[in-house]
Amino acid sequence: MQIKLEEDSCGLPENVIRKFPHIQDYRAFKVPSTLDAKTLLKCQLAVATFNSDGKCINVTGLQLPGVLDDLFSYNGPLGALYSEDSVSVYLWAPTAQAVCACIYRDPVGGNPLEIVQLEEVNGVWSTKGPKRWEGCYYVYEVSVYHPSTLQIDKCHVNDPYARGLSSDGRRTFLVNLDSDTLKPEDWDDLANEKPDIPSFSDISIYELHIRDFSAYDYTVHPEFRGGYLAFTLQDSSGVLHLKKLSNAGLTHVHLLPTFQFAGVDDEKENWKCVDTNMLDKLPPDSVQQQALITAIQDNDGYNWGYNPVLWGVPKGSYASNPNGPYRIIEFRKMIQALNRIGLRIVLDVVYNHVHGSGPFDENSVLDKIVPGYYLRKNTDGLIENSTCVNNTASEHVMVERLILDDLLHWVVHYKVDGFRFDLMGHIMKSTMVKAKDALHSLTKERDGIDGSSIYIYGEGWDFGEVAKNGRGVNASQFNLSGTQIGSFNDRIRDAMLGGSPFGHPLQQGFVTGLFLQPNGHDHGTEANAECMLAVAKDHIQVGMAANLRDFVLTNFEGKEVKGSEVLTYGGAPVAYALSPTETVNYVSAHDNETLFDIVSLKTPMEISVDKRCRINYLATSVIALSQGIPFFHSGDEMLRSKSLDRDSYNSGDWFNRLDFTYNSNNWGVGLPPKEKNEKNWPLIKPRLADPSFKPQKSHILAAVDNFLNLLHIRYSSPLFRLKTANAIQERVRFHNTGPSWIPGTIVMSIEDGYEGVPGLSQLDPIYSYIAVIVNASPTEVSFACPALRARTLKLHPIQVMSTDELVKSSTYEGSSGCFTVPPRTTSVFVEPR
């Protein structure tokens, strides 16, 4: 069948250009108005040009998402719906030629109980079955044209709206999440038990992987280790540690991916493992550990989980039994248990890509149902892979709908408290704003959850095909300002540690010895290194003021500038936020080396482990005492090491081990896996081989103590958690600025008002003024500040009572306004009312 196209002299409509800016310069053609486009979309389509002799001179396939959105967008039911006497299933598949559901009694094996043909109405296929289907399993068989094979394929596929799965992940479990049999005791009342969050500015976040939490915790029953139920124990080493953090003020635990992902078999009996007693006996810098771990890395129980297969189902490998309803019940028990020890839960969601594509990949779901729709393609018709693989396209209506439905599902059915968006910059800003609005509209009365308390944040990196709004206005750091959606502040991380995760591993930063304790790496002349240190300090100060675009401070040259006028080395503004809760400050996360490892790499070889531990505390203190939202990688408070592994996503339990008994920080467990680390092995090997690099239990205990004190200090005054940009501008000041600054020292003050006195309002009933002095230098520092003279400042009572003898020697002299702070120490001074 051939259809002649007419060129449209008006060009592409405005709404099309807005949605697909990358094709704005294309010529526009019209199909005849009498054409039945809906039927045509089920066939193979191509556009060809012919010469005057009727000979085809060019031909190309078509990308259909735009027309599918225009003709088939849908907001009715999808997935399985349950009534008193029936089970109905709905599937959006407008290009499919036929869809049937194969119903099975068992999760694996056996023949279908029945095969039911679904009926189509306007692109949505559905059928109504008997109540006895509940508790069974099903698979769709979708007959559809697939552009990757240029033919009609029969695809066997799970429901993208699946809420349960079989152990092999091949069948969708028909499970009604509203059934009382799936609810732990008092589940429906959990919204009233949740820890209180008066304001998003009160949030602090601890990032944790489910297996890391308990895989090596011998106080946990072997059956529970590495899974959901480990969080439900009251007196395991890990839970006791979380209770300490919660009691000190920590509010949220961010769990790395918990949805159904590829890379770990849900059936534990299929896992391979290495004898850890044998690994324990190998030298700390040996190549053997990583060789043994990587030989089985795709067949063990470990993966971070950034390989999404189905977004709406809890991962089966973390459950005691991956079949039936166990994963659902145990996930709910985990959420309930963490809420009851005062911690809210953030889920790490990966909507920017899926693991599988094409008609035959066992992990492919979306691309089997509506081929070419869910995944973003380039101009050659190939799937974009800038996220790593199979980028999704939230600019397409039904992709966005799936994301929004999934978020609401996790909140309503699992009562989670927030979301961290992986590679959020690859999602459209409009999708993120709709997500926030949809979540915040949930109410306790109607939905069993207070949506206004749900916080969302993510990685606002701007790269790949979406960079510079290439596919529409994306959810990048700069585009999100004013939305109240948080994004990670990489500026403060890089300024503190030095360089970036993509630069030379020995490049030093503010806390790792730049200019003050050189490590031999070429940082240019001494004057250049000093200038780099001064620039780093400006970046950190902007971050400590919540990375606010309009915050005014004095820069290292002595000029008054806004945060947005302080520039990164690439010339981009450092600051982008309009509100403090849009900034998530961090110095380490699951990606890249741990904080202790990066400090061990960047500091000079000859300094002692005591000093490296102090640098670890120092970096953490800056994050803990900054405005904005502080984010901590699990184990930073225990000097966690991954034996210098820069990307441990598939490095097994061995390199990712956490020890909540505080006996070991996991340093020196062999050279890290070759794939991501080999080029740095010459730097890594001598450090791992040197026994003086390894912290003792006393160092770990001191680090835990120090971290708890920092949390206690943060929550001792609302002045550390100011709610608005205006409050930060009025109350936060930086001293020791301009060209005559004392290198390596940051001095921040936060001022409060007095009840009944004109000027600043009173926020803190206990302290009227706070001064924070960060001394990153290897020597004691004295700094006299005329603006801080004649105050009644005293060392914070928590530091006075701490086990850190060094911080106790910090002093303030009122007549001169002079502070003296020991090396590599953050001292907090308060003025009691």
Side-chain angles (χ1 to χ4, degrees):
M1 179 180 176
Q2 287 191 356
I3 298 150
K4 192 169 183 201
L5 302 179
E6 249 179 76
E7 184 154 11
D8 186 342
S9 57
C10 299
L12 290 168
E14 197 52 49
N15 64 320
V16 173
I17 291 172
R18 203 165 43 247
K19 184 166 175 171
F20 303 115
H22 61 297
I23 61 165
Q24 59 188 310
D25 298 327
Y26 282 35
R27 289 160 70 192
F29 291 86
K30 284 195 284 201
V31 294
S33 56
T34 54
L35 193 72
D36 177 12
K38 289 185 174 182
T39 309
L40 213 57
L41 290 168
K42 294 180 181 294
C43 311
Q44 180 178 13
L45 297 174
V47 174
T49 54
F50 297 86
N51 65 15
S52 53
D53 301 332
K55 187 181 175 191
C56 178
I57 52 173
N58 218 332
V59 65
T60 182
L62 279 179
Q63 295 187 32
L64 303 176
V67 68
L68 292 177
D69 282 349
D70 284 354
L71 297 179
F72 292 106
S73 292
Y74 167 77
N75 60 8
L78 288 169
L81 264 69
Y82 302 88
S83 70
E84 278 183 29
D85 57 357
S86 66
V87 177
S88 303
V89 291
Y90 298 84
L91 181 72
W92 186 75
T95 60
Q97 298 192 355
V99 178
C100 57
C102 307
I103 313 291
Y104 294 86
R105 171 160 290 125
D106 298 315
V108 289
N111 294 318
L113 289 174
E114 49 192 307
I115 298 174
V116 185
Q117 188 66 45
L118 274 64
E119 300 290 319
E120 183 192 11
V121 177
N122 207 29
V124 179
W125 299 78
S126 65
T127 190
K128 187 173 183 176
K131 187 67 174 169
R132 60 181 158 77
W133 279 8
E134 191 175 333
C136 291
Y137 294 80
Y138 69 110
V139 177
Y140 286 126
E141 184 184 87
V142 181
S143 298
V144 65
Y145 171 76
H146 209 293
S148 67
T149 58
L150 306 179
Q151 65 182 28
I152 305 293
D153 287 307
K154 268 192 182 173
C155 299
H156 292 91
V157 63
N158 277 304
D159 192 327
Y161 278 75
R163 298 299 176 237
L165 274 178
S166 58
S167 61
D168 63 357
R170 300 290 155 258
R171 294 176 187 172
T172 301
F173 182 43
L174 280 160
V175 58
N176 181 1
L177 296 178
D178 293 325
S179 165
D180 287 340
T181 59
L182 303 183
K183 295 175 182 177
E185 195 177 343
D186 298 326
W187 174 251
D188 287 332
D189 198 42
L190 188 60
N192 297 316
E193 291 186 57
K194 284 187 178 286
D196 195 29
I197 291 287
S199 157
F200 285 158
S201 58
D202 295 316
I203 290 173
S204 51
I205 301 168
Y206 184 78
E207 183 195 44
L208 182 62
H209 182 273
I210 285 182
R211 268 199 78 75
D212 291 356
F213 177 66
S214 62
Y216 275 100
D217 189 343
Y218 298 111
T219 62
V220 172
H221 189 280
E223 294 285 300
F224 290 4
R225 274 180 217 153
Y228 302 127
L229 291 176
F231 291 91
T232 65
L233 306 174
Q234 284 308 299
D235 52 5
S236 72
S237 298
V239 170
L240 291 174
H241 183 80
L242 291 182
K243 285 179 179 177
K244 285 180 203 168
L245 299 180
S246 174
N247 291 337
L250 187 84
T251 64
H252 285 62
V253 168
H254 156 169
L255 295 173
L256 263 67
T258 54
F259 49 75
Q260 186 66 18
F261 59 79
V264 174
D265 195 320
D266 285 349
E267 298 174 291
K268 297 179 179 66
E269 57 271 23
N270 296 334
W271 295 354
K272 292 179 181 168
C273 56
V274 179
D275 177 5
T276 54
N277 292 324
M278 177 183 65
L279 295 176
D280 278 329
K281 294 181 179 125
L282 294 168
D285 61 337
S286 167
V287 76
Q288 286 178 268
Q289 294 96 325
Q290 63 85 35
L292 291 162
I293 296 294
T294 52
I296 61 154
Q297 66 180 4
D298 295 329
N299 303 106
D300 65 356
Y302 196 89
N303 196 291
W304 280 348
Y306 294 94
N307 318 322
V309 178
L310 283 160
W311 291 328
V313 184
K315 176 64 178 162
S317 63
Y318 297 142
S320 61
N321 179 349
N323 286 311
Y326 295 92
R327 61 176 88 194
I328 296 161
I329 297 165
E330 292 172 15
F331 197 100
R332 286 172 163 174
K333 284 181 174 178
M334 171 182 73
I335 300 289
Q336 187 179 53
L338 284 165
N339 280 178
R340 283 176 171 173
I341 60 169
L343 294 167
R344 286 176 167 252
I345 307 305
V346 171
L347 295 192
D348 199 323
V349 286
V350 185
Y351 296 127
N352 62 79
H353 73 276
V354 288
H355 193 61
S357 63
F360 309 119
D361 183 335
E362 62 181 21
N363 292 311
S364 174
V365 177
L366 301 176
D367 200 43
K368 287 179 177 176
I369 295 168
V370 193
Y373 177 79
Y374 287 95
L375 306 182
R376 194 180 284 135
K377 294 194 171 183
N378 64 20
T379 51
D380 293 328
L382 301 173
I383 296 167
E384 292 280 10
N385 291 319
S386 54
T387 61
C388 69
V389 67
N390 299 323
N391 297 7
T392 53
S394 75
E395 60 272 24
H396 303 164
V397 172
M398 297 303 284
V399 181
E400 178 178 87
R401 173 169 171 192
L402 180 55
I403 291 169
L404 300 181
D405 286 349
D406 194 66
L407 291 165
L408 292 168
H409 151 65
W410 283 107
V411 173
V412 171
H413 294 126
Y414 290 99
K415 303 188 189 298
V416 303
D417 306 292
F419 296 96
R420 175 265 191 195
F421 286 74
D422 183 62
L423 298 184
M424 175 173 67
H426 270 67
I427 297 170
M428 292 300 116
K429 175 184 176 180
S430 55
T431 305
M432 292 301 303
V433 171
K434 285 177 195 170
K436 186 199 76 168
D437 292 346
L439 292 167
H440 287 186
S441 71
L442 297 172
T443 65
K444 260 191 217 182
E445 296 69 35
R446 189 184 64 236
D447 310 292
I449 202 85
D450 173 15
S452 68
S453 66
I454 293 165
Y455 180 60
I456 63 176
Y457 60 101
E459 296 179 303
W461 321 139
D462 193 37
F463 69 96
E465 76 283 1
V466 298
K468 299 183 171 61
N469 302 324
R471 293 300 184 102
V473 180
N474 61 322
S476 64
Q477 288 168 326
F478 290 98
N479 286 340
L480 283 175
S481 58
T483 62
Q484 307 290 314
I485 294 166
S487 66
F488 285 100
N489 177 15
D490 51 337
R491 278 67 156 169
I492 196 169
R493 174 200 68 188
D494 292 348
M496 292 222 287
L497 301 178
S500 81
F502 314 105
H504 195 286
L506 293 185
Q507 189 172 335
Q508 290 177 290
F510 193 84
V511 301
T512 54
L514 176 63
F515 177 65
L516 301 166
Q517 197 150 37
N519 61 4
H521 178 67
D522 181 9
H523 293 93
T525 62
E526 194 167 300
N528 188 62
E530 187 173 10
C531 179
M532 285 170 71
L533 184 69
V535 169
K537 183 185 70 119
D538 283 354
H539 291 198
I540 294 165
Q541 289 177 160
V542 171
M544 292 180 81
N547 217 45
L548 293 171
R549 206 168 75 182
D550 299 326
F551 180 80
V552 177
L553 73 164
T554 304
N555 73 2
F556 74 99
E557 295 170 313
K559 295 176 187 161
E560 280 218 340
V561 291
K562 288 181 176 181
S564 58
E565 293 166 338
V566 178
L567 303 179
T568 66
Y569 296 108
V574 165
Y576 51 78
L578 284 176
S579 148
T581 57
E582 291 173 359
T583 294
V584 177
N585 279 319
Y586 75 116
V587 74
S588 79
H590 67 273
D591 278 323
N592 314 121
E593 294 89 348
T594 67
L595 177 56
F596 181 83
D597 283 352
I598 204 81
V599 166
S600 299
L601 259 183
K602 290 178 181 285
T603 47
M605 286 281 290
E606 64 275 7
I607 74 166
S608 69
V609 69
D610 295 8
K611 289 169 182 164
R612 288 196 186 91
C613 293
R614 284 205 78 75
I615 293 168
N616 203 96
Y617 311 161
L618 188 74
T620 308
S621 72
V622 174
I623 300 302
L625 302 176
S626 291
Q627 303 294 330
I629 290 179
F631 176 100
F632 307 102
H633 179 219
S634 57
D636 278 354
E637 76 284 13
M638 304 185 294
L639 310 174
R640 181 185 190 173
S641 172
K642 296 179 182 178
S643 211
L644 292 163
D645 191 348
R646 62 171 282 112
D647 187 0
S648 67
Y649 80 103
N650 202 14
S651 301
D653 295 322
W654 180 254
F655 287 98
N656 287 290
R657 175 165 45 175
L658 279 173
D659 178 5
F660 292 110
T661 65
Y662 315 133
N663 283 306
S664 165
N665 78 328
N666 211 40
W667 172 269
V669 296
L671 282 169
K674 183 177 179 176
E675 181 198 1
K676 302 278 185 175
N677 301 281
E678 188 180 17
K679 75 173 194 300
N680 289 333
W681 277 359
L683 290 176
I684 291 170
K685 194 170 170 59
R687 287 166 169 80
L688 294 181
D690 184 341
S692 74
F693 271 73
K694 187 174 175 69
Q696 302 305 305
K697 183 168 186 172
S698 57
H699 292 117
I700 298 168
L701 289 169
V704 172
D705 230 25
N706 188 280
F707 185 75
L708 295 173
N709 286 341
L710 289 170
L711 288 174
H712 278 299
I713 291 170
R714 181 175 183 83
Y715 289 98
S716 71
S717 172
L719 299 178
F720 286 116
R721 311 185 309 282
L722 297 171
K723 294 176 187 176
T724 65
N726 195 36
I728 292 170
Q729 184 61 65
E730 287 178 336
R731 296 163 188 267
V732 175
R733 293 280 177 280
F734 291 97
H735 313 272
N736 187 35
T737 55
S740 59
W741 76 300
I742 297 168
T745 307
I746 291 172
V747 181
M748 174 179 77
S749 63
I750 317 172
E751 187 176 359
D752 201 14
Y754 292 86
E755 204 73 67
V757 177
L760 292 175
S761 60
Q762 182 180 314
L763 301 177
D764 187 340
I766 302 168
Y767 303 125
S768 58
Y769 201 90
I770 295 174
V772 177
I773 294 87
V774 180
N775 176 16
S777 73
T779 53
E780 180 180 273
V781 156
S782 290
F783 170 72
C785 180
L788 299 176
R789 233 183 250 152
R791 291 203 164 268
T792 54
L793 290 163
K794 297 178 166 65
L795 192 63
H796 198 293
I798 286 165
Q799 291 192 320
V800 172
M801 300 296 292
S802 82
T803 52
D804 179 2
E805 292 304 320
L806 211 49
V807 75
K808 293 180 188 179
S809 63
S810 310
T811 59
Y812 164 74
E813 212 275 306
S815 59
S816 60
C818 183
F819 297 88
T820 302
V821 176
R824 300 188 181 91
T825 298
T826 295
S827 302
V828 181
F829 292 87
V830 289
E831 188 170 76
R833 289 193 183 279

